[in-house]
């Protein structure tokens, strides 16, 4: 069965199972453990942050657990539990309509709610972990239910416990968000205030709907639509370097974008580094670097996972040679022996 992925890579798995409830997931797991004993299980969302290097010789699970349940409400905020299979951007649009604020800056990020909690998606100065209260999941090994408070999720920049020590061990089933009933726009991210002026809006009277529209317009202008050109958004993480390293680079490249990060470290813009290394808009076979945002790698048509990986390695080498910086992918690379191999 073909595995959905926004890179548009043609990959197959043994079986793709979509489930719509915790009970259905438990039943599917029981069957998998009997029928496919020993084969790996991979849980995907919309496949918007995955690069498959081979066919996947295992079972792929996908959630379609839906539902938006208001758990608690005060004058100031709401606690809302959302099914992991809901589309993240649909929930953001709904939240804004209901007057629940905090996620506007994450508008139009592709993917499901469960994947947002795993990946700690972020954009324009907001990360999912800013509004996540609790994450619920089910063990892929024995079907038991678990929950994690936000502080147990070990959130960091595009990082969480679910991407590290718990990778491949749980299916996220539901995520609880704490959202505000008061709209306080977060506009500190470079370029947002200018975009508001250009759109003819005022910072003082800005509404959540207007901010959402501005974010959507910026994303549409910079990021390719996977329906038109296969891609997985930012391919690399923005690297975080020591203050000394950043100062050394800034003395050579004064225009280099840089932002304060945790513990006195400095975050650099991988897109800028890749552009300076001469890769923006360039191709390597059927894989290419997007011409409007160098952090995005695209499938020009018919690329395999290995074609994209070759481009990734060539970029990494040139950025390391020029700047002494090791880029690491933000996208999860999925490697697994091909389906035929285990049949012998
Ligand atoms: N830049 C260049 N050349 C490029 C791309 C960027 O010089 O080709 C420079 C820009 O001019 C700017 C700086 O790099 O000074 C940062 O660029 P931008 O604001 O476009 O954001 P980014 O750091 O490239 C990150 C996220 C995006 C997110 C935006 C906005 C990561 C890996 N990427 O990109 O997230 O939308 O900020 O918050 O952190 C994603 O994760 O898939 C994603 C798209």
């Amino acid at each position: 069965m073909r595995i959905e992925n926004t890179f548009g890579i043609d990959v197959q798995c043994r079986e793709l199972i979509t489930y719509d409830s915790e009970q259905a997931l438990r039943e599917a797991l029981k069957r998998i453990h009997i029928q496919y004993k020993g084969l790996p299980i991979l849980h995907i969302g919309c496949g918007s942050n995955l690069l498959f290097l081979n066919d996947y010789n295992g079972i792929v699970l996908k959630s379609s657990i839906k539902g938006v349940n208001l758990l608690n409400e005060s004058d100031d905020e709401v606690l809302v539990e959302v099914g992991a299979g809901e589309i993240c951007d649909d929930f953001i649009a709904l939240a804004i309509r209901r007057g629940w604020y905090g996620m506007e800056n994450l508008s139009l990020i592709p993917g499901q709610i469960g994947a947002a909690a795993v990946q700690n998606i972020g954009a324009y100065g907001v990360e999912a972990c800013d509004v996540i209260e609790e994450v619920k999941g089910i063990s892929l090994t024995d079907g038991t239910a678990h929950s994690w408070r936000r502080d147990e999720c070990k959130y960091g920049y595009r990082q969480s416990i679910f991407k590290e020590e718990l990778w491949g061990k749980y299916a996220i089933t539901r995520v609880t968000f704490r959202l505000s009933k008061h709209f306080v726009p977060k506009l500190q991210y470079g370029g947002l205030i200018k975009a508001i002026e250009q759109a003819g809006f005022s910072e003082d009277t800005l509404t959540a709907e207007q901010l959402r529209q501005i974010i959507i317009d910026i994303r549409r202008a910079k990021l390719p639509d996977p329906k038109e050109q296969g891609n997985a958004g930012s391919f690399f993480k923005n690297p975080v370097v020591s203050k000394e390293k950043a100062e050394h680079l800034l003395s050579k490249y004064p225009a280099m974008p840089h932002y304060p990060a945790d513990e006195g470290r400095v975050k650099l813009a991988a897109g800028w580094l890749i552009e300076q290394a001469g890769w923006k808009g360039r191709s390597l076979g059927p894989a290419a670097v997007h011409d409007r945002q160098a952090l995005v790698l695209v499938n020009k048509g018919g690329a395999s996972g290995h074609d994209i990986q070759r481009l990734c390695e060539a970029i990494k080498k040139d950025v390391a040679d020029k700047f002494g910086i090791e880029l690491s992918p933000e996208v999860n690379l999925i490697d697994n022996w091909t389906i035929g191999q285990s049949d012998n």
Side-chain angles (χ1 to χ4, degrees), residues 122-124 157-158 189 219 222-223 232-234 236-238 257 259 269 271-272 275 280 292-295 330:
Y124 307 102
Y157 167 58
R158 301 291 197 277
Y189 194 90
R219 289 188 73 91
K222 275 195 185 173
L223 299 169
S234 297
F236 296 100
K237 287 190 200 178
N238 282 328
Y259 317 94
W272 185 89
E275 182 172 351
K280 194 169 188 170
R292 273 172 286 146
Q293 164 55 290
L295 203 43
E330 194 224 82

Side-chain angles (χ1 to χ4, degrees), residues 303-314:
S304 68
H306 285 291
D307 291 326
I308 308 279
Q309 192 187 29
R310 255 191 300 280
L311 176 60
C312 159
E313 292 305 326

